[in-house]
Amino acid sequence: MFSTKKITIAIDGYSSCGKSTLAKALAQQLGYVFIDSGAMYRGVTLFAIQEGIIQQGEVNEQKLLAKLNEISLGFKFNPVSQHSDLYLNNMNVEHIIRQPEVASYVSKIAAISQVRAKLVHEQQVMGKSGGIVMDGRDIGTVVFPNAEVKFFVTALPEIRAERRFKELREKGNNTISLEEVKSNLILRDELDSTRTESPLVKAEDAFLIDTSTLSREEQLHLALQEIEKRLF
Ligand code: DC
């Protein structure tokens, strides 16, 4: 169906709208590497929490910048989940970075330009040979502006909150309510879309997918159709 040329696929969009699910499915279907760039911002946030750089809800930016080169992030394939786990300074942090405490600070960390510069550089190195599907907020606009295929994914806030809430419950988190999940999502989207540094915007040449009423199979089918159209 597809040529042997290994292309770059950039997927951006709002929190919990199904970007990663679609990105993973595409990577699996095409035999590409999947990179969850949000995990990297979450990894820096976890580091800041562990080092006492975030206190009373405030990020001590100077302290974080002084320690930025002590942060080493990497992905390793997990044969059980069939996806890559994030490692922070050689520790597997895949589960802990999904916790609400990390989620509540990550947008503040992601707004710091030196943090972005470090992670964007690492992401560009990971994708330099193509054959990659990367999801995030600035992948089609900043990380890979020349990506052969770009998607911008969205869904209604209520639907996104319900999906995220269900995911957290399935992972055993019973302390957060649906309303709290929804307000965190809305706040994060607001911060991510209005920050001065690489805000979340749809790249002009990105194909829009609204996942509100589409099944996973329908989303994958639509994306594959679009890839085929753009390549041939
Ligand atoms: O995709 P996610 O929810 O795991 O992302 C976590 C946070 O990181 C999100 O609030 C926005 C930020 N982020 C970003 O600014 N740029 C990216 N490329 C990926 C994520």
Side-chain angles (χ1 to χ4, degrees), residues 4 71-72 109 127 153 203:
T4 49
I71 304 175
S72 155
I109 297 287
V153 188

Side-chain angles (χ1 to χ4, degrees), residues 52-200:
I53 291 170
I54 302 178
Q55 276 177 354
Q56 275 110 42
E58 288 309 313
V59 180
N60 184 332
E61 211 173 302
Q62 290 313 316
K63 208 166 159 188
L64 178 61
L65 297 185
K67 284 181 173 271
L68 214 50
N69 57 12
E70 290 175 25
I71 304 175
S72 155
L73 298 167
F75 288 96
K76 260 188 227 163
F77 190 73
N78 177 338
V80 177
S81 66
Q82 289 289 303
H83 298 298
S84 296
D85 287 347
L86 183 79
Y87 282 71
L88 166 63
N89 295 335
N90 296 317
M91 290 275 297
N92 187 329
V93 293
E94 184 57 32
H95 291 293
I96 189 166
I97 58 165
R98 310 288 162 194
Q99 292 301 313
E101 190 189 6
V102 173
S104 64
Y105 295 121
V106 65
S107 286
K108 285 191 179 175
I109 297 287
I112 301 172
S113 63
Q114 292 90 334
V115 170
R116 301 204 70 83
K118 173 184 165 74
L119 299 193
V120 166
H121 172 72
E122 291 177 12
Q123 289 152 8
Q124 287 171 335
V125 170
M126 287 175 196
K128 69 178 187 310
S129 316
I132 192 166
V133 185
M134 191 177 288
D135 83 328
R137 304 295 188 290
D138 60 345
I139 310 305
T141 50
V142 176
V143 182
F144 301 124
N146 299 322
E148 285 87 347
V149 182
K150 299 178 188 177
F151 294 107
F152 190 88
V153 188
T154 185
L156 291 170
E158 294 69 28
I159 292 180
R160 294 192 279 128
E162 266 165 37
R163 286 179 187 159
R164 184 82 194 110
F165 179 71
K166 205 169 143 235
E167 241 172 61
L168 285 167
R169 281 284 186 274
E170 280 166 6
K171 286 180 185 159
N173 185 321
N174 294 315
T175 53
I176 191 162
S177 69
L178 177 61
E179 265 319 299
E180 284 169 318
V181 171
K182 190 175 165 197
S183 41
N184 175 262
L185 283 185
I186 292 173
L187 179 68
R188 275 206 291 145
D189 289 341
E190 168 73 13
L191 291 171
D192 295 337
S193 313
T194 56
R195 68 182 176 218
T196 33
E197 199 65 37
S198 313
L200 168 64

